[in-house]
């Protein structure tokens, strides 16, 4: 079974600085999708960014980008120019042949003004 | 296009009662997933349904829990004889097709068992 590991339970960053959240996963599949979701205190699950495993180019969405290292099974999220509204729990997730999302344990991100 | 609608937002049940959680997927979505989130933890897969079919229920507890997604109406997650350990946030997600579309999540139902 696939597993997703987020080794940083908590991270903090100064407003306007850059922070990187780590995620590793374990799979024997070659074709899959990876996601980062944001969960603010409202509890809503918000899709931040998505990466297809067959694409070598790293996905980017405005201030959010990923570093996808397929061989290392690593999928980190970089947030540039951090804003107060970025404070939330961030979940890395894997979607493969089992046709379901498998989530990591989450990283709580705090933004210091 | 309305998002995934879950109700109620909050549900309080006493031990031994039944809990029914409802999920209306986005319009045009025929795939529904249920996840459970315990405090300070990630979301754990429970069940994957298509219209009138359970595709994968490998994450569902063997007893007291059941789910359905009828041809008409919302998907229902039913928990019979609730216990305190059932207290959690339950999320529903939907997608139009599995391979190329990300899941869209509802805002969850927080179940509290007293």
């Amino acid at each position: 079974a696939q597993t997703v590991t987020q080794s940083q339970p908590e991270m903090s960053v100064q407003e306007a600085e850059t922070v990187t959240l780590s995620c590793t996963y374990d799979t024997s599949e070659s074709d899959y999708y990876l996601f980062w979701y944001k969960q603010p205190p409202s509890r809503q699950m918000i899709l931040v960014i998505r990466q297809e495993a067959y694409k070598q180019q790293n996905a980017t969405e405005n201030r959010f980008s990923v570093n996808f290292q397929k061989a290392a099974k690593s999928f980190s999220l970089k947030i540039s120019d951090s804003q107060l509204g970025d404070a939330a729990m961030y979940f890395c997730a894997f979607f493969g042949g089992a046709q379901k999302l498998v989530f990591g344990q989450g990283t709580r991100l705090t933004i210091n003004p | 296009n309305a998002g995934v609608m879950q109700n109620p937002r909050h549900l309080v049940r006493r031990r031994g009662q039944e809990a029914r959680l409802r999920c209306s997927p986005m319009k045009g979505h025929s795939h529904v997933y249920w996840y459970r989130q315990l405090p300070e933890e990630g979301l754990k897969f429970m069940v994957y349904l298509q219209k009138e079919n359970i595709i994968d229920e490998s994450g569902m507890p063997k007893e007291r829990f059941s789910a359905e997604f009828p041809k008409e109406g919302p998907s229902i997650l039913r928990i019979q004889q609730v216990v305190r350990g059932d207290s959690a946030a339950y999320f529903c997600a939907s997608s139009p097709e599995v391979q190329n579309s990300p899941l869209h999540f509802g805002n969850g139902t927080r179940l509290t068992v007293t």
Side-chain angles (χ1 to χ4, degrees):
Chain A
Q2 285 83 10
T3 58
V4 178
T5 302
Q6 293 179 248
S7 58
Q8 306 154 316
E10 297 183 352
M11 290 283 284
S12 63
V13 64
Q14 290 296 125
E15 192 177 3
E17 297 293 308
T18 295
V19 64
T20 299
L21 308 184
S22 302
C23 173
T24 58
Y25 57 95
D26 186 24
T27 185
S28 58
E29 298 177 30
S30 59
D31 191 16
Y32 50 85
Y33 298 82
L34 295 163
F35 302 87
W36 278 97
Y37 280 87
K38 170 185 177 181
Q39 187 180 42
S42 66
R43 209 170 66 211
Q44 184 182 7
M45 291 293 287
I46 302 167
L47 178 64
V48 174
I49 201 164
R50 150 190 169 154
Q51 174 82 42
E52 291 90 343
Y54 63 84
K55 289 186 177 179
Q56 291 186 336
Q57 187 172 7
N58 289 322
T60 298
E61 288 287 342
N62 300 315
R63 296 182 296 106
F64 299 87
S65 61
V66 298
N67 184 3
F68 173 47
Q69 301 288 328
K70 191 171 184 179
K73 298 179 183 174
S74 170
F75 183 61
S76 60
L77 174 70
K78 185 171 84 171
I79 307 174
S80 303
D81 186 25
S82 298
Q83 300 175 1
L84 294 178
D86 294 334
M89 285 290 290
Y90 285 81
F91 293 99
C92 177
F94 173 99
F95 189 96
Q99 306 294 288
K100 59 193 177 191
L101 273 174
V102 177
F103 286 89
Q105 309 93 311
T107 296
R108 182 179 301 282
L109 178 64
T110 302
I111 312 296
N112 300 314
Chain B
N1 189 11
V4 177
M5 303 301 293
Q6 288 188 249
N7 67 81
R9 184 101 166 108
H10 301 278
L11 182 61
V12 180
R13 285 287 178 265
R14 286 198 296 270
R15 279 181 299 171
Q17 291 184 320
E18 178 180 287
R20 281 184 178 241
L21 288 63
R22 293 174 180 77
C23 169
S24 295
M26 288 181 69
K27 187 177 180 181
H29 287 197
S30 58
H31 301 252
V32 166
Y33 297 77
W34 285 93
Y35 284 81
R36 177 165 62 178
Q37 184 180 32
L38 295 171
E40 303 303 317
E41 292 189 11
L43 279 71
K44 299 284 193 254
F45 169 79
M46 297 183 75
V47 62
Y48 164 35
L49 310 104
Q50 294 179 18
K51 285 284 187 180
E52 301 184 280
N53 288 307
I54 296 175
I55 306 303
D56 180 352
E57 56 181 351
S58 59
M60 288 276 275
K62 294 289 185 286
E63 297 177 351
R64 303 188 297 108
F65 285 72
S66 63
E68 63 177 10
F69 187 20
K71 186 176 180 181
E72 301 290 337
S75 176
I76 304 290
L77 179 67
R78 181 183 180 205
I79 311 172
Q80 296 178 288
Q81 300 174 344
V82 295
V83 301
R84 288 222 173 101
D86 297 334
S87 296
Y90 292 83
F91 287 89
C92 171
S94 72
S95 70
E97 58 183 85
V98 179
Q99 281 295 337
N100 298 318
S101 300
L103 274 60
H104 296 261
F105 281 84
N107 288 336
T109 292
R110 180 171 295 284
L111 172 65
T112 301
V113 179
T114 62

